[in-house]
Amino acid sequence: MIGHFPTIYPDEALYSWLARYHEQSGNVSPKRTMNELFANTSMVAVLDLPTNISDLYQAIRHFNPPEINSLLRKHTHYNYYAHFQIKGRNDNALNYMMNGGNPGAIHLSFGIVASPIKQWKYIRFCLSCKKEDLAKYGEPYWHISHQLPKVYYCHIHSERLLSSNIEVRNYSKHRYFSMSNNSIKIQEFNSSPLLSESKDKLEIIAKESLKLINLNSKVDISQLQKSYRYLLQINGYASYAGKVDQRKLAKQFNSYYGEELLSLMDSNVDINNNSCWLKAITRKHRKAFHPIRHILFVNFFGLSVEKLSTMNNKIYTPFGKRPYYCLNPTANHYKQRVVTDLEITACTDTRNPVGTFKCDCGFIYSRRGPDKDDSDKYNIGRIKQFGHVWEFELEKLLKTGTSYYSIAKQMKCDVSTVKKYALASKLNKDKSIPLQTLKIEKEKQWLWLIDQNKVLNITGIRKLNPSLYMWHYRNNREWLKVNSPITVRRTLAKSRVDWKERDQKILFKIKNIVPTLYKLEKKPVFVNKSRIGKEIGELSLIEKSLEKMPLTKKYIETMVETREMFQIRRIKWACSALAKEDSVIIQEWKVRRLASLKENMSEVVEKALQSEIEKYQKKS
């Protein structure tokens, strides 16, 4: 049993805590320390994501250390990487850290190995923190926040962090190096000062990175995509429909951060590259992104990572929330929120949202959005329809003999509009007497047209005199329906099909093609009903008439595979293909990429993946 164990300090890396124990215990052999802490001499001293924490806790629990959950989340990088990961991966990584597993499995699970974001080569520290720790605790220690990827500055002192001469992936992999060790030296100094603009943003990145360690909640990846789309929309980078202006975004993103900072973050943006990470993060998240890229993206919109949850369930409303204002000056509800009918389309020129507001009073107007302040809610871009209330009020004013200009002022419209409606009203009154005569004449014309073209249907007659057809359609529709040629639908005699014979022929074709679809020599294809139908050139027949071919149906049902079966078959093919390359090590991320596996696979497929990889690793 261990007789003495030091107290862990604030923001201290678990690695540093164990390094101080090794130094204070007087153990000469690092393996002896490992045996005391983990009952295992082959354990590796890992800085960011250590394993077998459950064994460690059992060995020191009589010293009343912090709860195991606190050690894991506050003194390792687990929280940092887990915040933007899907739950399944977090659970796997958590299990590895608590109970151990295959070497490097945690880093593979979090995608760190395949990530373009480079890790630090040396353990890092802040000179001012070191001095303060010496004065306060009598010894310095490694801070977990100083080891976070792409953190260049201390979040407390705003000083450039320095690199020690202790490599993170040390050749003495079983040994912990404490900061008070006399052999610790500064590996490199801040010889290349950064631009002030970059320095300010790098300090923000350091603080945002630390927040990921302290945050206990994790984001919902499906909700995160919606939040990102909302941020793009309200900031003018995406349309109402969600289409992102990638060129505008990339240009302003590069301008905001600058090439120097983006290079330091290994996150340069190339708009001409289809695989550009900035494009990918604005779309459906088919893969995980390094936390530093989420920080860059969120901070670009002036948002902090802990405030990201406030974007949950927010829907982009370019014209605000219902109800909207009716802007009919003749209605008794003028400038009141009574309009609930809103249709949003995209402007053909700018692609900005255009709202069409329809009130029960018949008044319909539109304007181009989005609204930028409250005064925009009272703007009218175009009046599409004045409606019956407005027209009734106009009719009353015209009868009083009020001048057109006075009416226009009261009705809040142009005088030409008043004149147009007044003229239309007068014409309607003048035509009230001869309308019946006009109707009789138009009917004669239509009947004569039909009589002269008996072979044509209504579509053909309409093309001969479109204006005559439209007059009847608008003014005499019921008569038009009765007095139009009837379209006769021709039915072709159906030839009888010998379905028994056809069943045998289709079955023969399918039995010849299915074995070739399951061959492993080429990349697997999903063998389902549609694929089989396409391969034999009878897709329509398979989809629509399979019930009439019982032998074919039974064979297809026995030979098609489920989505899970297909994914497992791809895993086996990918492992086999990778094994043929002598220089390639079978690693999970390589198998996932080659097999084109999605993130949200079932538990059965995940187990099959791990089992297949272990089988090949044992062979090697």
Side-chain angles (χ1 to χ4, degrees):
M1 179 182 288
I2 298 172
H4 161 75
F5 209 81
T7 301
I8 196 166
Y9 297 130
D11 192 41
E12 183 174 16
L14 191 70
Y15 173 101
S16 172
W17 190 34
L18 303 183
R20 288 193 296 113
Y21 166 74
H22 172 69
E23 189 174 75
Q24 294 172 20
S25 67
N27 290 337
V28 177
S29 169
K31 289 198 173 185
R32 182 174 179 178
T33 298
M34 287 297 184
N35 192 51
E36 291 174 352
L37 295 174
F38 301 99
N40 188 338
T41 57
S42 63
M43 283 293 297
V44 177
V46 180
L47 179 65
D48 53 355
L49 297 166
T51 61
N52 294 78
I53 297 176
S54 291
D55 293 337
L56 170 67
Y57 195 77
Q58 290 301 318
I60 63 172
R61 66 183 307 167
H62 55 287
F63 295 106
N64 293 321
E67 290 295 326
I68 193 169
N69 188 59
S70 176
L71 290 176
L72 182 80
R73 298 177 185 277
K74 302 295 183 183
H75 300 280
T76 74
H77 284 180
Y78 172 78
N79 258 15
Y80 176 81
Y81 286 110
H83 191 78
F84 291 104
Q85 283 284 1
I86 59 174
K87 188 177 185 302
R89 285 193 174 185
N90 286 344
D91 292 342
N92 290 340
L94 188 62
N95 182 54
Y96 284 134
M97 292 184 72
M98 295 291 285
N99 306 307
N102 296 331
I106 305 170
H107 294 80
L108 281 172
S109 181
F110 276 143
I112 299 170
V113 176
S115 174
I117 310 297
K118 299 182 183 69
Q119 300 295 102
W120 294 120
K121 185 177 181 180
Y122 300 98
I123 301 180
R124 297 162 65 76
F125 65 97
C126 166
L127 209 53
S128 292
C129 281
K130 182 179 180 182
K131 292 176 183 177
E132 287 184 4
D133 294 341
L134 271 168
K136 188 173 182 179
Y137 302 110
E139 59 181 336
Y141 59 90
W142 303 119
H143 287 248
I144 191 67
S145 60
H146 295 163
Q147 319 310 322
L148 290 169
K150 302 305 173 186
V151 170
Y152 282 83
Y153 285 88
C154 173
H155 65 280
I156 299 172
H157 302 101
S158 299
E159 290 181 14
R160 182 89 174 261
L161 295 176
L162 307 176
S163 292
S164 70
N165 60 335
I166 305 301
E167 293 188 18
V168 174
R169 304 284 181 263
N170 202 284
Y171 63 92
S172 302
K173 62 181 182 179
H174 302 294
R175 181 181 176 185
Y176 293 107
F177 291 86
S178 74
M179 194 177 186
S180 58
N181 192 305
N182 292 329
S183 64
I184 304 297
K185 293 181 176 61
I186 297 174
Q187 177 70 17
E188 58 184 24
F189 194 72
N190 182 10
S191 57
S192 54
L194 298 165
L195 296 173
S196 59
E197 295 85 355
S198 293
K199 180 180 183 297
D200 293 341
K201 290 184 175 64
L202 286 171
E203 287 182 26
I204 292 172
I205 289 169
K207 292 174 181 177
E208 292 293 295
S209 298
L210 178 62
K211 287 175 183 177
L212 293 184
I213 288 184
N214 294 325
L215 285 171
N216 289 323
S217 60
K218 305 292 180 289
V219 299
D220 181 342
I221 295 300
S222 61
Q223 180 59 53
L224 182 67
Q225 295 167 211
K226 296 175 184 177
S227 298
Y228 280 1
R229 183 173 68 175
Y230 176 75
L231 283 171
L232 289 162
Q233 288 174 321
I234 63 174
N235 286 282
Y237 296 103
S239 67
Y240 173 74
K243 185 177 181 180
V244 181
D245 187 339
Q246 296 289 357
R247 290 200 170 275
K248 179 182 176 183
L249 175 63
K251 183 179 178 181
Q252 296 197 18
F253 195 86
N254 276 327
S255 176
Y256 178 76
Y257 284 113
E259 289 295 331
E260 179 191 48
L261 186 141
L262 291 176
S263 294
L264 289 174
M265 299 293 112
D266 297 323
S267 298
N268 294 89
V269 173
D270 180 6
I271 187 61
N272 297 315
N273 183 357
N274 290 330
S275 301
C276 175
W277 73 268
L278 185 60
K279 286 182 179 178
I281 207 170
T282 63
R283 297 167 179 164
K284 184 177 180 180
H285 291 189
R286 293 179 173 83
K287 61 178 182 179
F289 296 90
H290 195 282
I292 203 67
R293 290 185 168 172
H294 285 287
I295 290 172
L296 288 172
F297 188 78
V298 171
N299 185 247
F300 172 68
F301 297 107
L303 202 66
S304 182
V305 289
E306 83 271 16
K307 297 292 184 183
L308 194 54
S309 59
T310 61
M311 298 293 108
N312 290 354
N313 302 315
K314 287 204 172 182
I315 299 173
Y316 179 51
T317 51
F319 302 99
K321 295 181 179 180
R322 287 181 171 82
Y324 306 100
Y325 291 102
C326 175
L327 301 181
N328 180 0
T330 64
N332 56 12
H333 52 252
Y334 178 51
K335 286 190 176 181
Q336 292 182 22
R337 288 183 174 273
V338 295
V339 179
T340 57
D341 189 350
L342 168 64
E343 180 184 352
I344 300 178
T345 55
C347 174
T348 54
D349 296 327
T350 64
R351 306 311 299 169
N352 285 337
V354 175
T356 300
F357 304 83
K358 301 177 183 179
C359 184
D360 291 341
C361 68
F363 193 78
I364 303 173
Y365 69 95
S366 66
R367 69 167 173 272
R368 187 182 297 173
D371 290 349
K372 295 180 179 178
D373 53 56
D374 286 342
S375 62
D376 289 339
K377 293 178 173 61
Y378 301 102
N379 291 339
I380 295 177
R382 177 187 168 199
I383 296 175
K384 294 189 171 183
Q385 189 172 307
F386 285 98
H388 59 277
V389 173
W390 189 92
E391 291 175 7
F392 179 76
E393 190 64 28
L394 175 66
E395 190 73 27
K396 283 170 54 179
L397 290 171
L398 288 172
K399 288 178 180 178
T400 62
T402 307
S403 70
Y404 290 164
Y405 289 97
S406 297
I407 293 174
K409 190 174 181 180
Q410 290 184 55
M411 306 289 284
K412 296 186 184 299
C413 64
D414 191 84
V415 67
S416 59
T417 302
V418 177
K419 290 179 180 179
K420 182 182 77 171
Y421 272 86
L423 180 62
S425 178
K426 184 179 179 183
L427 287 173
N428 286 337
K429 289 176 182 177
D430 291 344
K431 288 180 180 180
S432 59
I433 297 173
L435 180 61
Q436 189 62 31
T437 305
L438 180 64
K439 184 178 177 183
I440 293 170
E441 183 62 30
K442 295 280 186 183
E443 288 175 354
K444 286 180 181 179
Q445 292 176 18
W446 180 256
L447 293 172
W448 179 85
L449 205 58
I450 293 173
D451 186 60
Q452 296 299 310
N453 301 277
K454 294 181 179 179
V455 295
L456 297 179
N457 59 12
I458 187 169
T459 304
I461 300 293
R462 175 181 177 179
K463 289 179 180 178
L464 293 175
N465 195 334
S467 60
L468 178 62
Y469 172 82
M470 288 309 298
W471 188 93
H472 282 293
Y473 186 81
R474 289 170 179 166
N475 303 286
N476 201 15
R477 191 176 303 180
E478 293 302 320
W479 182 89
L480 180 67
K481 289 179 182 178
V482 175
N483 294 277
S484 292
I486 299 172
T487 302
V488 178
R489 294 185 179 180
R490 296 181 180 180
T491 55
L492 298 174
K494 293 183 179 179
S495 58
R496 295 183 64 82
V497 175
D498 187 340
W499 285 104
K500 189 174 181 180
E501 181 184 354
R502 180 171 289 187
D503 191 8
Q504 294 286 350
K505 288 180 179 179
I506 297 299
L507 180 62
F508 178 77
K509 288 183 180 181
I510 292 174
K511 283 185 175 181
N512 285 334
I513 198 66
V514 167
T516 64
L517 294 176
Y518 276 106
K519 284 184 179 179
L520 276 174
E521 282 75 16
K522 57 181 180 178
K523 189 170 183 177
V525 295
F526 187 21
V527 183
N528 58 2
K529 187 169 67 174
S530 298
R531 169 63 69 173
I532 294 171
K534 288 176 184 176
E535 291 293 332
I536 65 171
E538 298 286 0
L539 178 61
S540 179
L541 184 66
I542 296 296
E543 287 184 339
K544 296 178 181 178
S545 305
L546 192 59
E547 294 295 330
K548 298 177 181 178
M549 300 180 290
L551 297 176
T552 302
K553 180 184 177 184
K554 184 178 180 180
Y555 182 76
I556 287 176
E557 287 174 348
T558 58
M559 297 306 295
V560 294
E561 58 186 347
T562 63
R563 182 64 66 176
E564 285 184 344
M565 292 165 64
F566 173 50
Q567 289 172 336
I568 293 170
R569 193 159 59 88
R570 279 195 299 182
I571 289 168
K572 292 180 179 180
W573 167 82
C575 288
S576 175
L578 290 170
K580 291 176 183 177
E581 302 179 33
D582 295 334
S583 59
V584 175
I585 300 172
I586 307 297
Q587 293 178 320
E588 184 178 330
W589 70 268
K590 290 181 181 179
V591 177
R592 283 181 181 274
R593 184 176 65 181
L594 187 59
S596 304
L597 298 179
K598 295 182 179 180
E599 301 296 337
N600 54 341
M601 296 192 304
S602 69
E603 187 177 346
V604 174
V605 179
E606 286 288 354
K607 286 182 179 178
L609 173 64
Q610 300 301 330
S611 175
E612 196 69 16
I613 291 172
E614 286 177 8
K615 183 173 72 175
Y616 278 90
Q617 286 177 344
K618 287 177 182 178
K619 288 181 182 179
S620 60

